[in-house]
Each structure stands twice: as C-alpha cells, then as structure tokens.
Amino acid sequence: MRRLTINKAEEIELELLKKRLDIATVVVITGLAILIARLWFLQIHKGDEFADLARRNRIRAHTVMAPRGTIFDAKGRKIVTNQPCFNVVWNREDAEDPDAVIKHLSRVLGEDVSVLLDRIRDAADDPRHLPVRLKENIDWPTLVHVENVRFELPGSQVEVVPRREYLYGDMASHLIGYLAEISQKELEQHGDDGYEPGDLIGKMGVEKLQEPYLRGEKGKRYLEVDVHGNLQRLVDERLPVAGNDLVLTLDADLQLAAERAMADRAGAVVAMDVNSGRLLALASAPGLTLADFLGGISRPKWDSLQQDPLRPLLNKTIQGQYPPGSTYKIVTALAGLAERVITPETSFFCGGSLYFGNRSYGCWKKGGHGQVSLHDALVQSCDVYFYQVGLKVGVDALAKYANSLGLGLLSGIDLENEKPGLIPTAAWKARAKKVPWQEGETLSIAIGQGFDLVTPLQLCRMMAAVANGGTLYRPQFIEMVKGPDGQPLRSFTPIIDGRAPFTPKQLELVKKALAGVVNEPRGTGSAARLKEVVVGGKTGTAQVVRLARYKETAEKDVPLQYRDHAWFVCFAPVDKPEIAVAVLVEHGGHGGSAAGPVANAVLKAYFNIPEAREVDSRAQQVADAAVR
C-alpha cells in the first residue's frame, strides 16, 4: 500500500512538472515569436526608414538651389539675373535645447522670438529633415556674427541661395513678374516636378509663365556631421543645373522712355513692331516694386497695393478696359469705305451738332467744322462726320470691322488674365441688356463712346495692322530661349491671326489722314510730331462717367477721378512703317497734350533722336483748348 501511495505522488509531481514544462515552452516560443516579429519589423518592414534616419544622423543631404535663367532684352542686355543671398536656417533634428537656441538666435538676428517661433510653426507640416528658414538675405555683419557664434547655436547654419537681381530696377515690372515661396496648392500641383516646401516659384508675368524654362535643376550636397550637427566633411555632391535664359522682344531703351514719360501718372504704353507683332515696350503705370516681393511681401505693403486708387496691381496694357474715344474713328472711317457708304470725296456739314431722334448729339467743336471731307474729319476729329458714317454703316457692320482689327477680342498674348474689351452688336445688347438696340446708340459707338471698351494692347495692334497693310499679328514678347551654354533652344516666330478686309487704297487713304493729324496745322496730334520722321496718329479723349454738377466745369477744376482719359495711337514712318505705339493716360484729359508727348518720347527713343522738343507747345495748347 505504501509503495502504491508513493507512486501516485510521483505521478502527480511528474504531471505538474510536465505542465510547467509545457507552459515554459509556450512562453519561450511566444517570446521567440515576438522577438522574431520585432526583428522583422525593425530590420525588414522599417529597415530602410531606420537606416535612413541613422544615416541622416551622420550624413545630411542639403539641397542646392539652381540659379534661375537670366532674362535679356531684345538687344542682348541683361534685365534680370541672380546674386548670392545668405539665409539663416535651423535644423530641427539637431535641436538639443530649442528654447535657448531660438532666444540666442533672436538676439543675433535682431528678430523677435515670436517671429522666429511663427516661422518654425509654419514649417510644422514639412518633413523634419528640411531646415526651417528663419531669416532671409542677412547683411554681411550679421553673417559674420552668426558664423562666429555658430558653435553656440546647434542646428543653425547659413545657406547661400541665388536671389533675383533687377538690373533695370522695376522696369517692366508687370511683364517680368516676381517670385515667392511655393504654396501648398502649388506643391500639390507641381510636387512631381521636384518642388519642396520653401522653394521659390514664379507667381506672375514671365517668371510664372516661363517657370519650366527658368527654374533649372536643383543639386544635392551630402555632408557628414557630428552629433551636434557640425560639419565634418563633404561626402558627395551633385551640382545644380542653371535654368535656361530668355531673350525678350522688349527694348529696354523704349521701355524706360515710356515709363519715364508716364512719370507719376497712371495708364499704359504699348509699342509694337508693325511687321511682326513683337512688343517693343509694355508699360503699365504705376509699376510694382519687385524687391518688395522677394522673400514674400509684407501684409501692410500688400494691403497698400490693394487699396491704392491708381491700381498698381492691374496690368493696364491687357487688363485695363477703356472707351477708345476718337481713336475709334479710324475703324468707322475704314468701315464706311469698305461698305461703300462713303468715298474719299464724301463730305458732311458740321454745324456743331447733329439732331437725331429726339435729342442733339454735339461735336467737340461747338461752332462746328463746316463742310468736311473724310480726310479733314480725321485730321480735325469731327464728331458729326462720324455720327453720320456710323448711321450709314450700322452697329453690326462697325463691330465686324472693329473685330477684324482685333478690337473687342483677346489678342492671344501669352499673359494671364487678359481682358477682351467690348465691341457691341444688336445681338449682344439683346442678350446682355434684354432690350433692343437703339439707333441713336450707334452715334456714340461710331466715335468710340457708349458701350465700346478696348485695351491699350488692342489699340496698338489695330494701329499696327492699319500701318502694315492689314495684317493682324499676335502680340509676342519672347524672342528666344537659350540654354545655360548660350545655345538657342527655341525661337518664337511671328504668328498671323488674320487680315483686315480693307483694300490697300482704303488703308493708304486713312494713313494719309493720320499723317495729317500729326503734321497738318489743324491736326490734333502735333505733340507727337518729329522733324526727322513722318508720324501718323490719332488722338482720343474718352469720357468718364461724370457727375452732373461737373458737366459744365472746366477740366482742370474737375476732381481727378471724373476727368476724361487721354489716348494717342500712332505709327512711323508713314511711308514705311516700323513701329506702332498706343498711349493711355488715365484721367489725363486731352489725348493730344497728355498722351501725345509720351508717344513722342517713345518714338524718339526708337529712332534715336535727341531729347529736344520738336513740338510747338503753344500750338498744341491752342488745339487742346478747343477740344473737349
């Protein structure tokens, strides 16, 4: 019995031992499984990521920005290039005591701590290996100071990047455009093109439209650093590739002449090669201060630009829409000839007004011009003559010929937000205003008032087409793209968009009259006259909606915002045209005295004529005094 009892106890003990062994086996196997799973997770699933992190603790990859392409004018002169710029950046991965470092940096850089913290917060969503740009374009003393104390500022360093330099100041600012830091939306749109947070990208004008050509290809520098982020050695390097260069059609001499002639006035100047459509000057006034946009424009400056009544943010050459005033009489004259409702000999009597319907339509010359032919009507800008031509042609035919000269249509220029203007038809009014066309409205249309709206670029294009025999060229401002080695990559050739339906005889007749506008004694455009070159042109005074109380007030006593816009369009030389110019001075008053001298300055720059006044200013003043 005793032996049986012992055996039973041993069996129980063996059973317990076996269970313990089983549990231990499970524990060991589970532990091994967890260990193996963890090793798989660390070595295989996350292996590349951790290897990259480990490598970055020792090897840092720094992006090296590529210099953007240089922009040249038509004569090969540099307009926009690059210069080195020094920025202070901070690498968050090296931050041991961020608060102390940022406080120290704020003293060194002369920036408030809150400003630096805001910049770090703004970069919170960026990858941590990308340094935060704390201050851009530091001066030389600050650079020296930072380098001297950098061992006290773990994670901080100075980066050298190319920065835009404008060799002609703010010349052609609306056309050149500016750069700014890429936005989140742009990153999503262009992320596949290698952009990263903090990169600069063209935001306007040529800088934006030609971004793929100008930006170049970024390089990389692989640097070995110690545990504090201090540079030990350069491990590897991939050099950046500079962007391609652009050669514009713009002539810097003409552009500067136009901008200087506009002085502090608002408006636009467009100059075009009549035989190719190449733009020689494209000035919108007031211009922009491009340096304000480098590194990001401040909120106060941006607000100031938006609230400026002279609207500097608007590119008035393509976005400003104005009544063409009497410059439109060129269209009415050609339409009358093309429709054969008038001949060169057709004359009408101007007694100072034309009674039509139940109202009187006045001429700018209250005493009237008497009996006038087409030539004299253009030279003296007789309203009554063109009222009657307009009635004979009709609003729809007027629109057809205006469109054939590019008015009321997008020009196709490769710039953003171009406006089409408006050349009305009866169908347009029925659709837009829900009322039928009134024949009396044709009188206003015929002299460039009423619903008529054009841009300065459209009027210059029209003048070029009249001058060259009727060919309508698409405006072009880029001549060529060249690689960093200077070799041409792409050339831009003239594009013909259409031909105006006028005979050479009809065009020559009008051109002769336009020469009379500038050169005949009773012409209204003597301010553009030159001794060396025969100029043809047309003045225009576009009425602005004016309060009733100023209706009979002299122009000089009317508040600026209610004064008329001044136009002058011209071409030269008359016998062999090369250049067309359109000038608009907002609220400038008379086209002859306000816009004519601006065109004169551009023509002098083009023909290299010294700046001696050619015009009898008293004669111009007499002419202006008679014109409304």
Side-chain angles (χ1 to χ4, degrees):
M1 287 298 291
R2 183 174 178 77
R3 181 175 296 171
L4 287 174
T5 301
I6 291 171
N7 288 340
K8 183 66 175 178
E10 288 175 344
E11 287 177 5
I12 292 170
E13 188 173 345
L14 284 172
E15 190 66 29
L16 287 172
L17 181 58
K18 185 179 178 182
K19 286 182 179 178
R20 288 175 184 148
L21 283 172
D22 290 342
I23 292 171
T25 301
V26 170
V27 169
V28 170
I29 291 174
T30 302
L32 286 172
I34 291 172
L35 183 60
I36 291 170
R38 184 62 179 164
L39 285 172
W40 175 86
F41 179 78
L42 294 175
Q43 295 293 325
I44 298 177
H45 182 67
K46 288 284 189 179
D48 291 342
E49 179 180 336
F50 289 137
D52 185 49
L53 286 172
R55 189 165 54 251
R56 281 215 305 272
N57 280 335
R58 185 174 64 88
I59 305 297
R60 293 279 167 76
H62 286 263
T63 298
V64 183
M65 303 306 296
R68 286 178 75 86
T70 299
I71 301 175
F72 297 86
D73 84 338
K75 294 179 178 174
R77 294 169 291 195
K78 291 180 180 178
I79 299 174
V80 184
T81 183
N82 305 289
Q83 63 176 352
C85 166
F86 302 96
N87 301 330
V88 174
V89 299
W90 186 55
N91 197 318
R92 290 165 287 185
E93 293 179 336
D94 295 331
E96 295 177 350
D97 187 355
D99 292 340
V101 172
I102 294 301
K103 285 179 182 176
H104 195 165
L105 274 170
S106 77
R107 293 192 295 273
V108 173
L109 299 178
E111 288 278 14
D112 194 87
V113 171
S114 63
V115 173
L116 302 185
L117 291 176
D118 284 344
R119 287 172 186 162
I120 294 170
R121 274 192 287 271
D122 290 343
D125 294 333
D126 297 344
R128 284 188 61 79
H129 68 276
L130 292 179
V132 179
R133 196 169 292 158
L134 295 180
K135 187 164 185 174
E136 296 183 346
N137 197 29
I138 59 173
D139 56 24
W140 186 253
T142 305
L143 171 65
V144 173
H145 192 176
V146 171
E147 289 296 337
N148 284 339
V149 299
R150 198 150 61 85
F151 68 93
E152 300 172 2
L153 303 168
S156 68
Q157 67 183 82
V158 175
E159 68 171 10
V160 186
V161 297
R163 180 183 173 95
R164 276 316 209 188
E165 183 178 23
Y166 304 102
L167 301 178
Y168 284 78
D170 298 318
M171 184 188 77
S173 55
H174 290 85
L175 178 65
I176 299 297
Y178 62 90
L179 307 172
E181 196 167 311
I182 192 167
S183 67
Q184 185 58 39
K185 183 179 179 181
E186 290 166 329
L187 267 176
E188 293 168 2
Q189 291 175 339
H190 304 292
D192 293 340
D193 298 330
Y195 288 98
E196 296 177 299
D199 284 353
L200 297 179
I201 189 171
K203 296 282 187 178
M204 174 185 163
V206 169
E207 292 280 21
K208 177 178 182 180
L209 296 165
Q210 302 303 321
E211 171 78 13
Y213 282 126
L214 289 168
R215 64 182 291 237
E217 185 179 332
K218 291 185 286 189
K220 282 282 185 185
R221 301 186 79 206
Y222 297 91
L223 307 172
E224 183 176 312
V225 297
D226 62 16
V227 293
H228 301 294
N230 296 317
L231 173 64
Q232 299 301 301
R233 68 186 177 96
L234 173 66
V235 177
D236 197 5
E237 184 175 28
R238 188 181 76 232
L239 295 175
V241 178
N244 299 305
D245 298 335
L246 290 182
V247 180
L248 303 183
T249 62
L250 229 59
D251 183 323
D253 295 328
L254 269 63
Q255 184 73 26
L256 288 174
E259 295 181 3
R260 286 170 183 156
M262 288 296 289
D264 57 353
R265 293 174 290 189
V269 183
V270 182
M272 176 183 285
D273 180 336
V274 302
N275 298 307
S276 68
R278 290 183 171 91
L279 293 168
L280 306 173
L282 198 71
S284 180
L288 299 169
T289 304
L290 293 174
D292 286 347
F293 295 89
L294 294 172
I297 191 169
S298 67
R299 173 54 65 180
K301 285 183 178 176
W302 181 251
D303 291 343
S304 173
L305 288 173
Q306 287 191 309
Q307 294 163 12
D308 192 327
L310 300 183
R311 302 179 298 166
L313 289 174
L314 192 72
N315 183 351
K316 292 166 185 167
T317 61
I318 60 168
Q319 296 175 301
Q321 301 180 108
Y322 311 87
S326 293
T327 63
Y328 193 81
K329 290 172 182 170
I330 297 172
V331 175
T332 306
L334 287 168
L337 293 168
E339 290 289 302
R340 303 186 186 283
V341 297
I342 60 170
T343 68
E345 293 74 32
T346 302
S347 65
F348 295 107
F349 179 77
C350 171
S353 65
L354 175 70
Y355 199 79
F356 183 82
N358 59 356
R359 58 165 288 194
S360 175
Y361 292 81
C363 182
W364 67 265
K365 189 174 183 180
K366 297 186 184 303
H369 291 91
Q371 200 71 29
V372 287
S373 65
L374 175 61
H375 180 94
D376 289 338
L378 276 171
V379 170
Q380 300 178 54
S381 200
C382 175
D383 291 334
V384 169
Y385 186 96
F386 289 101
Y387 289 151
Q388 299 185 74
V389 177
L391 286 172
K392 290 177 179 295
V393 174
V395 62
D396 290 342
L398 277 173
K400 181 183 75 173
Y401 292 109
N403 290 160
S404 77
L405 290 166
L407 303 184
L409 302 172
L410 295 174
S411 71
I413 189 173
D414 191 18
L415 285 175
E416 290 187 310
N417 303 317
E418 182 189 12
K419 300 296 183 186
L422 173 64
I423 298 299
T425 62
W428 166 82
K429 189 181 177 191
R431 184 174 63 252
K433 304 292 183 181
K434 310 298 182 190
V435 290
W437 186 264
Q438 300 298 314
E439 203 169 4
E441 293 171 318
T442 306
L443 276 72
S444 298
I445 295 300
I447 63 164
Q449 295 291 165
F451 297 113
D452 280 337
L453 290 174
V454 299
T455 67
L457 178 63
Q458 288 177 0
L459 275 191
C460 188
R461 196 178 180 215
M462 176 198 77
M463 195 74 267
V466 170
N468 69 24
T471 303
L472 194 66
Y473 286 102
R474 184 173 301 177
Q476 171 189 338
F477 57 86
I478 298 179
E479 184 71 44
M480 183 186 298
V481 179
K482 297 194 298 184
D485 58 358
Q487 294 302 309
L489 295 179
R490 182 183 174 190
S491 295
F492 293 76
T493 55
I495 297 174
I496 296 175
D497 281 335
R499 297 187 188 279
F502 307 114
T503 66
K505 186 176 179 181
Q506 291 163 350
L507 290 168
E508 286 303 318
L509 185 71
V510 170
K511 286 163 63 176
K512 184 178 178 183
L514 297 180
V517 170
V518 177
N519 299 287
E520 292 182 14
R522 289 181 294 177
T524 57
S526 60
R529 190 181 305 161
L530 296 172
K531 285 181 179 175
E532 295 83 353
V533 180
V534 179
V535 179
K538 184 71 191 79
T539 55
T541 302
Q543 287 183 320
V544 173
V545 175
R546 182 179 295 189
L547 297 181
R549 66 175 181 272
Y550 298 120
K551 194 170 182 179
E552 300 300 327
T553 306
E555 190 78 28
K556 64 181 179 59
D557 298 324
V558 175
L560 182 66
Q561 66 269 32
Y562 301 125
R563 296 180 192 174
D564 297 335
H565 297 315
W567 281 106
F568 189 76
V569 296
C570 63
F571 66 98
V574 168
D575 59 342
K576 194 175 181 181
E578 298 176 15
I579 181 175
V581 181
V583 178
L584 168 79
V585 179
E586 287 184 342
H587 309 293
H590 305 301
S593 57
V598 178
N600 181 268
V602 175
L603 292 173
K604 282 180 177 173
Y606 180 82
F607 291 109
N608 199 25
I609 296 173
E611 272 298 320
R613 289 295 302 153
E614 307 292 333
V615 179
D616 182 342
S617 59
R618 287 188 304 167
Q620 186 61 54
Q621 289 168 6
V622 170
D624 286 342
V627 181
R628 69 167 184 269

